[in-house]
Amino acid sequence: MLASLAHPDLLRSQNYIGQQWCDARPGQTLPVFDPATGDEIARVPDSDATDAIRAADAAATAFPDWSRRTARDRAQIIKRWHALILSHQDDLARIISAEQGKPMHESVGEVRYGASYVEWFAEEATRICGDVVAESAPGRKMFVLKEAVGVVAAITPWNFPLAMIARKIAPALAAGCTVVAKPAEDTPLTALALVYLAEEAGLPPGVINIVTASRTNTPAVVDAWLADPRVRKITFTGSTPVGKHLARESAGTLKKLSLELGGNAPFIVFDDADLDAAVEGLMASKFRNGGQTCVCPNRVYVQDGVHDAFVERLAARVKALHVGPATEPASRIGPMINARAVEKIDRHVQDAVAKGARIVAGGERVRTSDGPHYYAPTVLVDATPAMALADEETFGPVAPVFRFRHEDEVIRHANDTPFGLAAYFYSNDVRRIWRVAQALETGIVGINEGAIASEAAPFGGVKESGYGREGSRHGLDDYMHTKYLCQGQLA
Ligand code: SIN
């Protein structure tokens, strides 16, 4: 796939610091693998604290000029970046599929999805405004300004190698922040390509800096940023344990934090739902990216009266999903990211079956012509809270169905988790819709809708799914602080 890029320059194998492409200081590299075959497809720097500090130096040096530019000036550069992302969408999609494994049509969708945040924040940059407050005493004027927080460290996951970094960097740039970024060790190539296009768009030196690192060296890179008082904000998408570590360790310099952490989303189908729409919504939300998303339903609750009909329609749809490599146009489920991911999915399915669940679709590993890291899309019925998949995020194409009788009972189960990122429910009863939407303890609720993400909406969780929002005007606010000016002696 990488050999067929129309613009091979997009394939970068170095860090980007202060507008220089450079190796890691110790000269070490780490391999990037094709998740389907396990073959090495590229090598990138295995950076350490020295590289992280150089990146922070560059970002800190660039901050005064970038933050003082006019919003329109910043917006024009971000808009050019957006146009370049779209004009290279096929190449970017090939890079995403090569390192992350999702089917090509989904990768193209991810490029457009990520680009939509870039466009949105380019436009929002020009709408940043504060307040003029009615004076509280004669001869006084009071103003509220919004100012860029400073250098931002962005730490991003492997499941959306383009969209996640785009929706962190774009608002940071729009607000006037400069950025140091570390993409996931599994998927650094897309992030490097994106930064290459930002340079082409005319971004000044040091405004974005990116270093790559292995799982072993990532703590050294991140700890350097955590300890650095010049880094004023950390934005992270990933697991709750890592998010808690970042919150603890950033306390020393009291950084601003945006944490988009783990989920355990319930998907509830009430007796009064439109069943076809509910099946459609579950297919879209559960099996996108092979179930490797933080917002994908982890627990499917179906009310007694429609349970069997729903399961029958769902199983038929799931059995028809084609499992195969990203390059096959028919593929709907690509490889999982690595062997550990397949192990976890299989452990959840085996545990559920041992505790009484019944498999009605899938339920096994799949070996395709190009490798062993596949799992058949799966539907389980008779799921119970005693099963590991009720508490832990499976992060794979498994839909466990729990039967329920009453609304109160399902709300209790849905909220019985430390996580609170997304929830979905299907009902045609307008009173129930408002009751349930308000009772669910999550940051996002899909009501008769499975595709909830949008650049225009605030994405983020409550409870141990984190805090901070990405997308919408709230997503820009997270990169600014509020300054109050009080001018006296005017009478
Ligand atoms: C995620 O899995 O964290 C993001 C999913 C999305 O943007 O829809």
Side-chain angles (χ1 to χ4, degrees):
M1 240 179 304
L2 294 180
S4 62
L5 295 184
H7 295 90
D9 276 1
L10 284 173
L11 201 57
R12 313 305 302 182
S13 56
Q14 290 178 301
N15 287 336
Y16 183 71
I17 299 177
Q19 212 167 53
Q20 302 293 323
W21 291 97
C22 49
D23 294 326
R25 268 287 160 82
Q28 281 158 2
T29 58
L30 76 114
V32 183
F33 298 108
D34 173 339
T37 59
D39 294 343
E40 184 177 315
I41 54 171
R43 294 194 83 84
V44 294
D46 191 4
S47 314
D48 68 5
T50 325
D51 305 294
I53 292 165
R54 281 177 61 213
D57 291 344
T61 305
F63 179 70
D65 170 65
W66 182 248
S67 57
R68 282 187 209 126
R69 288 187 181 215
T70 64
R72 186 157 299 284
D73 190 7
R74 290 197 300 269
Q76 272 163 0
I77 296 175
I78 304 169
K79 270 190 194 151
R80 283 203 292 275
W81 188 31
H82 169 253
L84 285 168
I85 294 170
L86 288 186
S87 64
H88 291 80
Q89 74 170 17
D90 291 342
D91 274 352
L92 290 168
R94 281 189 196 100
I95 298 173
I96 294 173
S97 285
E99 64 179 351
Q100 197 271 329
K102 68 182 60 159
M104 269 299 284
H105 73 276
E106 281 201 50
S107 293
V108 171
E110 181 180 341
V111 177
R112 292 185 189 151
Y113 175 51
S116 72
Y117 284 88
V118 176
E119 183 180 39
W120 173 271
F121 286 113
E123 290 165 352
E124 283 296 288
T126 58
R127 296 187 195 118
I128 295 170
C129 52
D131 305 310
V132 179
V133 182
E135 49 265 40
S136 60
R140 234 186 206 192
K141 291 280 178 208
M142 293 150 76
F143 307 92
V144 179
L145 307 187
K146 290 287 183 180
E147 289 187 339
V149 292
V151 176
V152 172
I155 304 161
T156 56
W158 52 262
N159 59 345
F160 290 90
L162 187 143
M164 295 302 105
I165 199 157
R167 80 185 190 192
K168 293 181 188 312
I169 291 183
L173 300 185
C177 300
T178 55
V179 178
V180 291
K182 195 212 71 71
E185 42 289 323
D186 300 294
T187 55
L189 301 176
T190 310
L192 293 172
L194 208 54
V195 168
Y196 173 80
L197 292 177
E199 179 179 347
E200 295 281 290
L203 206 67
V207 174
I208 302 181
N209 308 276
I210 182 161
V211 299
T212 55
S214 62
R215 281 191 173 74
T216 314
N217 272 358
T218 288
V221 168
V222 173
D223 287 351
W225 291 339
L226 283 167
D228 191 329
R230 297 170 304 173
V231 176
R232 293 308 315 146
K233 175 181 169 96
I234 305 259
T235 170
F236 169 71
T237 297
S239 75
T240 293
V242 174
K244 288 182 180 175
H245 169 80
L246 297 175
R248 268 193 305 272
E249 297 304 314
S250 62
T253 50
L254 281 184
K255 297 185 200 310
K256 203 171 165 89
L257 288 175
S258 292
L259 302 174
E260 201 258 272
L261 309 176
N264 183 4
F267 185 105
I268 307 168
V269 184
F270 289 100
D271 280 347
D272 54 40
D274 174 335
L275 277 202
D276 287 329
V279 170
E280 206 54 57
L282 185 59
M283 294 303 293
S285 53
K286 174 73 247 186
F287 296 100
R288 170 177 176 233
N289 199 16
Q292 302 173 109
T293 78
C294 300
V295 285
C296 78
N298 203 49
R299 300 166 290 156
V300 182
Y301 295 97
V302 186
Q303 204 163 9
D304 217 18
V306 292
H307 178 277
D308 295 352
F310 179 84
V311 167
E312 191 184 331
R313 290 184 213 183
L314 176 66
R317 289 289 303 276
V318 170
K319 284 178 189 164
L321 291 173
H322 181 74
V323 179
T327 43
E328 266 178 29
S331 291
R332 289 298 171 270
I333 304 286
M336 300 295 104
I337 189 69
N338 54 33
R340 273 197 321 281
V342 181
E343 290 297 331
K344 181 178 185 190
I345 297 163
D346 202 40
R347 176 169 61 76
H348 276 190
V349 171
Q350 298 308 325
D351 170 77
V353 170
K355 291 175 179 157
R358 210 159 33 84
I359 295 170
V360 294
E364 61 194 0
R365 294 162 188 252
V366 177
R367 173 174 268 285
T368 71
S369 54
D370 73 339
H373 296 159
Y374 291 87
Y375 205 88
T378 297
V379 180
L380 301 168
V381 290
D382 300 335
T384 71
M387 298 169 183
L389 46 64
D391 295 326
E392 290 174 38
E393 212 175 2
T394 303
F395 234 63
V398 178
V401 180
F402 302 69
R403 190 189 284 264
F404 76 93
R405 297 174 78 95
H406 304 294
E407 186 181 305
D408 288 357
E409 169 200 351
V410 77
I411 296 296
R412 209 172 46 250
H413 284 302
N415 288 337
D416 186 18
T417 166
F419 302 105
L421 184 54
Y424 308 80
F425 68 93
Y426 278 71
S427 166
N428 277 327
D429 175 337
V430 70
R431 289 190 187 83
R432 190 202 300 271
I433 285 176
W434 279 97
R435 243 185 353 254
V436 173
Q438 289 179 306
L440 288 167
E441 297 169 355
T442 57
I444 305 168
V445 182
I447 306 167
N448 296 331
E449 180 58 68
I452 37 120
S454 160
E455 76 285 0
F459 187 105
V462 297
K463 293 160 74 178
E464 294 190 20
S465 290
Y467 38 76
R469 292 294 179 266
E470 293 186 331
S472 80
R473 67 184 166 80
H474 303 283
L476 187 56
D477 241 21
D478 271 9
Y479 291 85
M480 294 184 291
H481 56 227
T482 301
K483 181 184 275 180
Y484 156 53
L485 309 184
C486 181
Q487 187 177 3
Q489 306 300 320
L490 291 172

